[in-house]
Amino acid sequence: SSGINAEYGIEIVEYNKIPSMISYDRWWLFTWFVMVPVTIASGINAWIVENEHLSHGPPPYIPYDHLEQRAKDYPWRDGKRSLFHHEYYNPVPGQGYSWQKKEDDDE
């Protein structure tokens, strides 16, 4: 039991002395004690910043010509709203915000 396998003449190395296992242990510690807390902190920061951003409304609509150029209409809905159009935050080109138009109609 001197650490040598008599049949093959190969030295059997203990687990904690194998370089790949040392590397594995370091990456495991790095993952759980560095990356997981950093990911959680980043998520909390994003949530705080996004709540601050959503606390005020969108900027006023100004119909800039260079922002409303379309070669052709989109093939869905009325052709003016993008696929990921948000009624509150994205203005409709040439019309402004949909919710402002509805408020004006209600008055």
Side-chain angles (χ1 to χ4, degrees):
S1 178
S2 62
I4 296 177
N5 186 331
E7 185 178 347
Y8 297 108
I10 300 171
E11 184 176 346
I12 299 172
V13 183
E14 294 178 22
Y15 169 79
N16 62 356
K17 295 193 177 181
I18 299 174
S20 63
M21 291 297 140
I22 294 170
S23 178
Y24 169 81
D25 289 343
R26 286 183 184 159
W27 278 110
W28 188 89
L29 290 170
F30 178 76
T31 299
W32 290 103
F33 294 106
V34 176
M35 293 311 300
V36 169
V38 166
T39 304
I40 292 170
S42 297
I44 291 169
N45 180 48
W47 184 73
I48 291 169
V49 169
E50 190 62 20
N51 278 343
E52 290 174 3
H53 175 74
L54 294 176
S55 66
H56 57 82
Y61 176 71
I62 302 172
Y64 292 115
D65 292 337
H66 67 282
L67 294 177
E68 298 181 355
Q69 294 177 357
R70 301 279 192 269
K72 62 180 185 174
D73 289 342
Y74 293 118
W76 49 81
R77 298 188 194 167
D78 63 354
K80 295 185 180 206
R81 293 170 171 83
S82 69
L83 186 60
F84 301 105
H85 181 80
H86 191 281
E87 294 293 329
Y88 188 74
Y89 294 105
N90 301 119
V92 178
Q95 298 175 6
Y97 294 105
S98 301
W99 57 270
Q100 283 182 334
K101 188 176 180 184
K102 291 176 186 173
E103 285 179 358
D104 293 341
D105 292 344
D106 292 341
E107 292 177 359

